Amino acid sequence: MKNGVKMLDIAQKLGVSVVTVSNALAGREGVSDQMRRKICETADEMGYKPSNTRGMKRLLMPRSGKSVGILTSERFVGPRGTFYWELTAGISNRLSRLNVFTVYECISAESENKGALPKILIDHKVDAVIVIGQVHRNYIEALSNAALPLLFVDFYDSRYDIDSVNSDSYNGAYLLTDYLISMGHRDIGFFGTLNATSSINDRFLGYMKCLIENGIEYRKEWTIGDRTENGTLLTDPEFPDKMPTAFVCNCDETAALVIMALRSKGVRVPEDISVVGYDNYITMGIGIPAVTTMSVDLAKMSEIAVDIIIKKLAEPAYSEGKRVIGGKLIVKDSVMRINGGGSDV
């Protein structure tokens, strides 16, 4: 023990035995990978210094010098890239605590369309790659041929056997739609460009499942795109002549744009039309009601993503599959009860 921090201190903080801490730090058997990593992280955070550094075998902590590339398409960067910036920061900070460097690169639209590998891969600067946010299938093909550990965050592609970490978009949109139904709504539309991302598709399918289970007719004209082919959000969406009483929006940003577009037409939210979003991330502007939404656990997504990529760095053949992180319905001010709807959630 050095600088005052003992194994006992670590054990007490985590609620485990000193023997468990000792075994984890020494790389001995009898400790799960998850617990070993948690103990090692806590030891680092508390400033623990073993008397015998050679005996502290960080089995799941790569040696200093390992690096992970983080890629994001440029359509998710800029004024509307805050959600992914927080994911990127969370992942990068956790990797840094595990002595792993991160190198970030933004994928240009031209490179993505051509399937051109990023410079960090061409120059062999990274040992693994994390892609945050949807990329085109031909770009996935190029990345999958790079023979490096690869992880997708906030999207997946069923054609490729590539590990991913995602929010539970399907169930989340189901719960949002079900909440609207419990508030008396039967005419419910969906705002989101289908096939733009896997998460939008899953949210649409969750919305559809809820309609079907409640015997509500699906009306195609009430499914409205929210972005262009290159991913740019539409600021002036086209509304149908006959409007629903509520919209499920694929994200909070779209919900905010829908509310502002409705206001410009003299339609009030929630008095005339109710709106729900997804992510629980952005703050609405003055005069715009706080949007009922589904929270996304960014911290948990970051934690799981780091856990998977660390295992891949230790064993490149390791496969985790698709991890789905649940969310929580957050009721705010953008939904109004109509026609004597059901009980409050």
Side-chain angles (χ1 to χ4, degrees):
M1 184 276 294
K2 303 291 183 183
N3 77 336
V5 179
K6 305 175 182 179
M7 287 188 186
L8 177 61
D9 300 322
I10 301 169
Q12 289 176 340
K13 183 172 183 178
L14 295 176
V16 299
S17 69
V18 175
V19 173
T20 298
V21 173
S22 177
N23 288 340
L25 297 180
R28 291 191 289 266
E29 299 289 335
V31 184
S32 69
D33 289 345
Q34 184 177 4
M35 178 55 70
R36 187 189 309 279
R37 188 172 302 105
K38 191 172 184 179
I39 289 171
C40 289
E41 289 180 1
T42 302
D44 276 351
E45 291 168 1
M46 295 178 68
Y48 173 77
K49 302 294 182 183
S51 58
N52 179 9
T53 56
R54 293 183 62 185
M56 190 173 176
K57 181 183 178 184
R58 301 295 179 87
L59 184 62
L60 297 174
M61 285 186 169
R63 72 190 192 292
S64 178
K66 286 283 187 178
S67 60
V68 172
I70 299 179
L71 305 176
T72 306
S73 172
E74 69 175 358
R75 66 178 178 273
F76 298 122
V77 178
R80 52 184 293 263
T82 310
F83 180 87
Y84 284 144
W85 278 127
E86 181 159 330
L87 263 178
T88 299
I91 290 171
S92 179
N93 289 339
R94 288 176 182 275
L95 286 172
S96 178
R97 291 198 295 268
L98 297 175
N99 303 317
V100 177
F101 299 103
T102 53
V103 184
Y104 177 80
E105 185 168 335
C106 177
I107 308 166
S108 69
E110 181 180 7
S111 294
E112 188 175 355
N113 290 329
K114 291 181 177 179
L117 287 175
K119 187 173 176 58
I120 57 175
L121 263 69
I122 294 174
D123 294 346
H124 305 288
K125 292 187 177 295
V126 295
D127 302 292
V129 174
I130 297 174
V131 185
I132 300 179
Q134 190 88 35
V135 291
H136 294 159
R137 182 163 278 175
N138 58 340
Y139 201 80
I140 294 175
E141 179 71 25
L143 290 173
S144 65
N145 291 328
L148 282 177
L150 183 60
L151 176 67
F152 294 157
V153 176
D154 200 45
F155 81 103
Y156 64 95
D157 191 312
S158 298
R159 184 176 293 180
Y160 296 88
D161 186 21
I162 297 173
D163 292 350
S164 64
V165 180
N166 303 273
S167 64
D168 193 357
S169 294
Y170 179 83
N171 188 57
Y174 178 97
L175 293 175
L176 285 165
T177 309
D178 192 58
Y179 174 68
L180 289 172
I181 294 171
S182 77
M183 296 293 282
H185 295 272
R186 303 285 294 180
D187 296 337
I188 305 171
F190 182 86
F191 245 100
T193 299
L194 306 186
N195 296 324
T197 69
S198 58
S199 61
I200 293 178
N201 274 354
D202 285 349
R203 290 168 193 177
F204 173 75
L205 292 174
Y207 151 82
M208 282 291 295
K209 181 175 187 287
C210 194
L211 294 186
I212 293 169
E213 286 189 354
N214 286 276
I216 297 175
E217 178 187 3
Y218 166 68
R219 297 182 56 163
K220 186 176 181 180
E221 67 270 25
W222 287 347
T223 296
I224 305 170
D226 69 331
R227 62 196 68 204
T228 64
E229 289 185 0
N230 66 2
T232 303
L233 283 177
L234 300 171
T235 56
D236 188 22
E238 294 186 9
F239 294 100
D241 293 333
K242 178 175 173 53
M243 295 281 274
T245 64
F247 278 114
V248 175
C249 298
N250 78 87
C251 66
D252 287 346
E253 193 170 15
T254 292
L257 290 173
V258 168
I259 292 172
M260 288 187 287
L262 289 171
R263 287 180 63 185
S264 70
K265 300 178 184 299
V267 180
R268 301 167 301 167
V269 175
E271 292 84 354
D272 301 318
I273 293 181
S274 294
V275 174
V276 297
Y278 204 106
D279 293 337
N280 192 34
Y281 196 79
I282 67 172
T283 301
M284 299 296 133
I286 297 175
I288 299 179
V291 174
T292 292
T293 186
M294 282 295 297
S295 67
V296 174
D297 193 340
L298 293 178
K300 189 66 174 179
M301 289 182 70
S302 299
E303 177 187 342
I304 298 299
V306 169
D307 179 75
I308 293 172
I309 208 67
I310 289 296
K311 289 177 180 177
K312 286 178 171 291
L313 286 171
E315 177 49 63
Y318 175 80
S319 178
E320 178 80 18
K322 180 183 175 184
R323 290 291 299 271
V324 178
I325 311 302
K328 182 180 179 181
L329 177 66
I330 307 295
V331 177
K332 297 184 182 178
D333 307 321
S334 63
V335 176
M336 177 166 284
R337 184 186 302 282
I338 64 173
N339 298 330
S343 61
D344 289 327
V345 174

